[in-house]
Amino acid sequence: MNASRSPEPALPDAPLRDDVRRLGALVGRMLAEQVAPAFLDEVEHVRVAAIARRQEGAPLAELTAPLAGLDVAHAEALARAFATYFNAVNIAERVHRIRRRRDYQREGGAPQPESLRDVLERLKAQGVGAPELLDWLLKLEVEPVFTAHPTEAVRASLLEKEQAIVRALVDGFDAGRTPQERGEDEERIHMALTAGWQTAEASPLRPSVQDEREHVSFYIADPIYRIVPALYEALADALQAVYGVAVPLPRLLSFATWVGGDMDGNPNVGADTIAATLASQRTQILDRYIGDVAALARLLSQTDSRVQVDPRLRQRLDEVRARYPQAASHIKPRHADMPYRSMLAVIGARLEATHEDGHPEAYAGAGELREDLELIAASLVDHRGLHAGAYAVKRLVWRVRSFGFHLARLDARQDSRVHDDALGALFNDAEWPQRGVDERVAALHAHLRGERGFVDSEDSVATSLRAVFAALRDARRRYGAEATGLYIISMARSAADVLAVLALARHGGLVEHAGSSPSPRRGEEVIARSVLSDKSWEANAKSHVPLDIAPLFETIDDLKNAPATLRALLADPLYRAHLAARGDRQWVMLGYSDSGKDGGTLASRWGLQRAQVELLEVAREHGITLAFFHGRGGSASRGGARIMPALLSSPRGSVAGRLRVTEQGEVIHRKYGIRALALRNLEQTVGAVLRASLRPRDEDAREVQWRERMHELSTRSRQAYRALVEREGFVDYFRTATPIDVIERMALGSRPSRRRSMRGVEDLRAIPWVFAWTQCRSIITGWYGLGSALEWGAAEYGEQALAEMARDWPFFANALDDVEMLLAKCDLDIAEAFSQLAGDLHEPFFALIRAEFERSRRWLLKLKAASELLQGDTRLAASIRLRNPYIDPMSLLQVDLLGRWRAGDRQDDALLRALVSCVNGVAQGLQNTG
């Protein structure tokens, strides 16, 4: 832990190395104070032994021995010590990203790779002119969706301490800081580390939906809220620098959330959480605006005797004084000659009134607020106030455009089988879930045409769903159309599953009449005329369900059948009437997690790639726009990936100016926890969407053959993967060779880790599935089956043919890059220690895992013409090497504690707490865990 005692593994950047050593020394100082100097010596002894194992090939037993049989409290402290170090390393690496960004900006040479200026320069070099670019900017829609799937649930108080450390390190960038100031920086870091050590990482209670909402809101309403205007300013600067144009920018960015609306498998989510979430988010964003308006009022002190003011602003001020006397009373008499401050006093008071439903002086919507702010900004610009506050007002305008009065759109999600249960009750048909698709479609048609009604039912599922759709209806009326997002159907497998939502939504009163839709979103149109000629539909043709319904295709077979499902849906006249009311845009959600769990990584990736191509073809046939919603997780096993290569390797035409993607687990913290990195991430995302949309990769005649080969490779990979997970005894092996039983007891989220009884892998949710295999260091979820497929492919097509695909086909190259990163994080010797906990199941299963690992590693290196993993990414390789000496002891400590806990029939809560500390520490060290 103390950098002076033994050298850290070499890092490619000296300032990063210095920060790691500095933080390591401060962690050591804190541990010596909070526990004991002897404890720090013990930590250092274990660390040196771990480094010796890695660098000198020392036996694993030499590292295992000092960790076996420790007192439980001591073992927990040891795990927490290593976890604290990991957190310090993670902070140092994030701060170094800020440092590198500043270095690029300071040097003024080539732009930082993947920055907006870099993207525009590349597009210009590819022949994109200003008119084409500006036309695409009008189409751009980027919407990160924050979900309640935390594999790293950190208390807000600890996040604040981390931010304090970041600020102290960033302050240290200033070479002119005095020794006293630098000493104060050290003490700020030491205080944050010490207070963090004295704080439990998470509450022992499972988080409620409210807790999850507060966790997600921490990121949206703080770092993201603050940096959104900077994104638009960076884009405006890049446009000016590269193309010499300065134009008003359209809104490119919005945000959404599942927290409070994701009912799938979570009995704690329903109508009440939908209402509570939307109310909470409205309160939060209004409070943010009120604070910003107050700050602007303090800034804009211009007086009539010194500056002129736009007549339109004076007229508006006279109007609001007369129309909103209560708000106008907040103008202080001594500020009467300050027009901007007077107007902002009224704005602030009206925002306060907007907290109260039905208040006569409240803002009717965010658009009205924006108009008032834009009047102030325009007046400042026209009267020499560009540098006297106009930029600050414009920043608030961008926030209002981005967050409205809702902060983030709330999606809803439910399993299709729950809908079927409700319909069975409402149709008084106990056999409804078992009926064929055609029979269910016919019955739903009859209902939607008014020919077959629902019975009165007090069934709990039907009643709950009716309340959900009523809550969505009320939300649109109270907060506007932008407050609610998609309705996602899990396990959607037929047109009947989508029609079911239409029927249930009407049952819940989620219906609007032609011309009555509140505040339609861009691209949303009310129905002009029915596409049906059936007169019996006339009553419903005058109304529509104002809801974008997105089927979620999430298993390999679902992805394979998705085009046929969409074709049947678009051929349905009743659904086409609904889609016409939604602007003829159909959303489809693609599930990366369950497809990976179902078929392994290669079959999942290829299934997703082919599904997008074929779904786009169906959409073109029917003359509609298809929009994809990507359900990616944090780990590469669940679709996690760097955004630029992921989008550039996606099917041509699949991006088309839109990106809607889930952000979950530790990814949220890593991407958005620090303002500068949140800005960098959003810049990279917008830039990737622009590049993938304007200049998708060129056609390559070889791709026809490559796709045929990939179909066979994915089939072979899936066969190998399924042979493992379907092998007799595998579920028992999984439950004993991984810490899944610990993970299931961790207070990570408000929803259960299993869908139903644990009959097989399919009943376990993808997040704990990936999390468990990552914890035991084998991470089979990200690579198993690849080696068998590549070995077969080399025999069938030739090694050079596969190497050509790996070199020249972005889809295949990107897939191999992600697998390579996961293989580099594996440790099969430690995985074997976990596997031995499975008793007699160890040898038959682990022999298969080790053989497939070696096969995958060998063939990946061959195809990349490399001698070691991550040979082409020295920074990532160094980062992994830095972490391993700290992850390894915690993993081995976890093996020992896990065996003892199970031997006591899992009753020892102290052992469980120590195990949870190990799990949290390993998760911090490996990152991308779930």
Side-chain angles (χ1 to χ4, degrees):
M1 195 72 63
N2 187 330
S4 65
R5 301 191 183 196
S6 60
E8 300 286 356
L11 293 174
D13 300 284
L16 170 59
R17 183 170 59 249
D18 292 342
D19 279 349
V20 168
R21 287 175 171 170
R22 177 185 177 191
L23 290 176
L26 285 170
V27 170
R29 172 184 163 191
M30 180 274 294
L31 292 175
E33 292 174 354
Q34 295 298 306
V35 187
F39 178 75
L40 176 60
D41 291 337
E42 180 184 2
V43 170
E44 181 64 14
H45 173 75
V46 171
R47 187 179 78 97
V48 169
I51 292 173
R53 172 183 172 251
R54 290 281 177 176
Q55 295 182 351
E56 302 166 15
L60 187 64
E62 291 186 9
L63 182 56
T64 304
L67 298 170
L70 294 177
D71 172 76
V72 175
H74 191 75
E76 182 179 1
L78 201 59
R80 291 189 63 215
F82 284 117
T84 302
Y85 179 81
F86 284 136
N87 194 42
V89 172
N90 291 341
I91 291 172
E93 290 187 336
R94 290 166 189 158
V95 168
H96 192 59
R97 289 183 61 195
I98 299 173
R99 181 186 288 111
R100 292 207 311 269
R101 180 179 176 86
R102 290 189 174 193
D103 287 345
Y104 275 106
Q105 293 170 337
R106 185 184 303 109
E107 291 165 4
Q112 185 175 14
E114 299 183 7
S115 67
L116 287 170
R117 181 167 178 176
D118 174 62
V119 166
L120 295 194
E121 287 185 356
R122 288 174 182 272
L123 290 173
K124 186 175 184 180
Q126 291 177 291
V128 175
E132 182 184 6
L133 175 62
L134 296 176
D135 182 59
W136 270 100
L137 286 177
L138 293 172
K139 305 173 188 176
L140 214 66
E141 298 177 64
V142 175
E143 188 171 43
V145 182
F146 293 78
T147 68
H149 294 310
T151 47
E152 183 187 284
V154 183
R155 278 182 160 149
S157 57
L158 292 177
L159 297 175
E160 291 165 357
K161 291 173 177 59
E162 177 178 304
Q163 290 180 339
I165 296 173
V166 169
R167 286 192 294 271
L169 290 174
V170 171
D171 286 346
F173 292 173
D174 181 3
R177 287 182 77 75
T178 66
Q180 180 180 352
E181 289 172 330
R182 293 196 179 278
E184 291 170 354
D185 292 342
E186 297 281 304
E187 289 309 310
R188 286 158 59 197
I189 296 172
H190 186 214
M191 180 173 64
L193 289 170
T194 304
W197 177 262
Q198 295 178 353
T199 305
E201 291 80 4
S203 168
L205 301 178
R206 185 171 291 277
S208 66
V209 176
Q210 178 182 346
D211 295 329
E212 292 174 334
R213 181 174 67 237
E214 291 172 356
H215 183 77
V216 165
S217 295
F218 175 88
Y219 298 97
I220 301 177
D222 188 358
I224 293 174
Y225 176 85
R226 291 299 174 197
I227 58 85
V228 158
L231 174 73
Y232 289 96
E233 291 164 2
L235 179 56
D237 291 345
L239 281 168
Q240 181 67 52
V242 178
Y243 286 97
V245 298
V247 296
L249 293 173
R251 187 183 76 175
L252 315 175
L253 190 65
S254 59
F255 300 89
T257 177
W258 278 15
V259 182
D262 184 8
M263 299 168 283
D264 181 13
N266 193 341
N268 302 306
V269 177
D272 56 340
T273 60
I274 289 172
T277 296
L278 290 169
S280 174
Q281 290 182 174
R282 181 181 178 86
T283 297
Q284 197 166 18
I285 194 62
L286 287 176
D287 286 344
R288 285 283 189 234
Y289 294 157
I290 289 166
D292 282 359
V293 167
L296 286 175
R298 291 191 295 271
L299 172 66
L300 299 181
S301 59
Q302 290 89 336
T303 56
D304 289 328
S305 62
R306 298 290 185 182
V307 296
Q308 293 182 324
V309 175
D310 193 312
R312 293 174 300 167
L313 179 62
R314 289 197 182 279
Q315 180 181 352
R316 177 61 175 161
L317 186 53
D318 290 341
E319 289 175 0
V320 298
R321 284 179 188 271
R323 189 172 178 182
Y324 308 112
Q326 186 176 336
S329 69
H330 286 75
I331 301 173
K332 295 180 180 180
R334 60 194 179 88
H335 295 161
D337 65 339
M338 297 178 175
Y340 297 129
R341 183 170 287 182
S342 296
M343 186 64 193
L344 287 162
V346 176
I347 291 172
R350 292 192 66 198
L351 283 169
E352 290 281 6
T354 307
H355 276 306
E356 181 182 334
D357 282 351
H359 195 292
E361 298 197 358
Y363 275 105
E368 188 183 357
L369 169 63
R370 189 174 71 241
E371 289 171 2
D372 282 348
L373 293 170
E374 286 173 342
L375 273 177
I376 296 174
S379 179
L380 285 164
V381 170
D382 292 343
H383 296 91
R384 294 175 297 173
L386 185 63
H387 300 291
Y391 283 122
V393 179
K394 288 181 176 180
R395 290 186 184 114
L396 180 54
V397 170
W398 274 120
R399 291 180 180 126
V400 174
R401 293 184 70 180
S402 301
F403 300 103
F405 279 175
H406 60 280
L407 183 64
R409 289 205 289 161
L410 180 63
D411 284 358
R413 181 172 73 140
Q414 185 55 280
D415 193 307
S416 64
R417 292 166 292 189
V418 175
H419 298 151
D420 282 338
D421 289 343
L423 288 170
L426 293 169
F427 279 132
N428 195 25
D429 181 357
E431 301 301 319
W432 176 266
Q434 286 75 47
R435 296 197 184 280
V437 172
D438 292 343
E439 193 174 358
R440 282 184 287 141
V441 168
L444 289 165
H445 276 186
H447 173 76
L448 290 169
R449 288 193 175 101
E451 299 165 2
R452 179 181 178 181
F454 287 156
V455 302
D456 290 334
S457 174
E458 296 182 1
D459 176 79
S460 60
V461 177
T463 301
S464 175
L465 277 174
R466 185 172 190 174
V468 163
F469 287 107
L472 293 174
R473 173 201 64 206
D474 294 343
R476 286 178 63 85
R477 293 175 181 173
R478 184 180 180 191
Y479 306 121
E482 291 214 355
T484 55
L486 306 185
Y487 190 98
I488 297 114
I489 311 169
S490 301
M491 297 297 173
R493 287 168 178 161
S494 71
D497 292 333
V498 181
L499 293 174
V501 175
L502 283 182
L504 291 166
R506 286 186 175 275
H507 182 58
L510 181 55
V511 178
E512 289 177 358
H513 295 282
S516 67
S517 178
S519 308
R521 293 192 295 271
R522 176 169 63 176
E524 177 182 316
E525 302 171 2
V526 296
I527 188 167
R529 63 181 181 181
S530 174
V531 298
L532 300 173
S533 59
D534 188 339
K535 292 183 179 179
S536 64
W537 178 245
E538 286 182 1
N540 278 344
K542 295 176 182 177
S543 65
H544 73 287
V545 173
L547 193 64
D548 290 321
I549 304 170
L552 166 56
F553 302 115
E554 45 191 332
T555 67
I556 299 296
D557 288 340
D558 288 348
L559 290 167
K560 182 178 180 181
N561 297 326
T565 300
L566 182 62
R567 185 173 284 110
L569 186 61
L570 296 180
D572 187 291
L574 301 189
Y575 188 73
R576 282 309 303 270
H578 167 76
L579 206 59
R582 305 304 297 164
D584 272 332
R585 177 163 75 171
Q586 175 64 51
W587 282 94
V588 165
M589 185 170 181
L590 301 171
Y592 290 69
S593 302
D594 279 282
S595 59
K597 180 169 68 72
D598 177 42
T601 187
L602 195 61
S604 170
R605 284 176 176 261
W606 184 239
L608 289 158
Q609 188 87 350
R610 289 305 305 159
Q612 290 177 74
V613 171
E614 293 171 10
L615 287 166
L616 286 168
E617 290 173 357
V618 173
R620 282 191 288 268
E621 290 171 11
H622 289 266
I624 65 139
T625 300
L626 188 65
F628 292 111
F629 177 16
H630 299 273
R632 293 180 179 271
S635 167
S637 302
R638 297 182 49 242
R642 288 183 56 235
I643 193 65
M644 188 68 77
L647 293 193
L648 294 183
S649 63
S650 61
R652 298 173 190 85
S654 63
V655 179
R658 288 181 299 273
L659 179 67
R660 197 173 203 266
V661 61
T662 54
E663 301 280 26
Q664 42 185 271
E666 77 282 354
V667 172
I668 296 175
H669 182 50
R670 192 175 69 251
K671 287 184 177 180
Y672 301 105
I674 300 172
R675 292 180 190 178
L677 298 189
L679 175 59
R680 170 68 170 159
N681 174 68
L682 291 176
E683 271 199 71
Q684 289 175 307
T685 301
V686 170
V689 173
L690 282 171
R691 284 190 63 188
S693 301
L694 274 80
R695 289 296 181 268
R697 66 183 189 279
D698 294 333
E699 295 278 354
D700 191 322
R702 296 173 294 175
E703 283 193 36
V704 174
Q705 185 179 57
W706 290 344
R707 285 192 290 267
E708 293 173 354
R709 291 173 178 170
M710 184 53 63
H711 174 75
E712 295 300 327
L713 289 171
S714 67
T715 299
R716 301 287 172 168
S717 176
R718 186 186 187 191
Q719 288 172 349
Y721 176 84
R722 294 304 303 180
L724 175 71
V725 301
E726 291 175 353
R727 185 183 175 98
E728 184 178 357
F730 177 79
V731 171
D732 290 336
Y733 175 72
F734 166 66
R735 296 200 65 80
T736 50
T738 76
I740 183 61
D741 44 351
V742 176
I743 292 167
E744 288 174 340
R745 296 202 188 188
M746 290 175 67
L748 286 175
S750 67
R751 103 178 158 167
S753 61
R754 306 183 198 177
R755 286 190 169 92
R756 292 174 296 278
S757 60
M758 186 67 183
R759 297 190 305 269
V761 171
E762 64 274 7
D763 287 338
L764 186 76
R765 294 195 180 278
I767 294 167
W769 165 255
V770 173
F771 201 13
W773 286 113
T774 303
Q775 282 288 317
C776 74
R777 309 290 294 278
S778 66
I779 325 181
I780 68 166
T781 53
W783 53 263
Y784 198 95
L786 177 70
S788 294
L790 295 180
E791 188 171 74
W792 176 88
E796 184 73 14
Y797 309 123
E799 183 178 329
Q800 289 307 310
L802 294 186
E804 179 186 56
M805 290 169 62
R807 182 186 67 243
D808 297 341
W809 190 17
F811 165 77
F812 195 42
N814 190 41
L816 293 183
D817 285 346
D818 288 342
V819 170
E820 182 180 18
M821 180 266 292
L822 291 176
L823 290 174
K825 290 185 175 184
C826 292
D827 188 312
L828 266 287
D829 291 337
I830 290 177
E832 184 173 20
F834 274 96
S835 182
Q836 288 168 349
L837 295 173
D840 292 342
L841 294 173
H842 159 64
E843 288 195 11
F845 280 102
F846 193 75
L848 294 173
I849 291 172
R850 186 179 284 279
E852 184 66 13
F853 175 86
E854 295 298 341
R855 192 179 296 116
S856 298
R857 182 180 183 278
R858 181 172 66 253
W859 280 105
L860 189 143
L861 292 175
K862 280 187 177 184
L863 298 189
K864 289 197 160 202
S867 59
E868 60 182 23
L869 294 172
L870 298 178
Q871 187 170 305
D873 192 339
T874 56
R875 180 170 279 115
L876 177 57
S879 177
I880 292 173
R881 285 197 301 272
L882 175 67
R883 285 171 166 79
N884 281 335
Y886 302 91
I887 303 174
D888 296 352
M890 276 198 298
S891 292
L892 294 171
L893 191 59
Q894 187 179 155
V895 172
D896 177 70
L897 295 171
L898 192 56
R900 291 158 61 184
W901 183 58
R902 288 173 178 170
D905 199 26
R906 301 175 175 85
Q907 298 297 311
D908 191 324
D909 289 341
L911 277 170
L912 179 60
R913 285 194 300 273
L915 279 164
V916 169
S917 293
C918 290
V919 169
N920 286 332
V922 171
Q924 288 185 18
L926 290 174
Q927 301 187 311
N928 299 337
T929 56

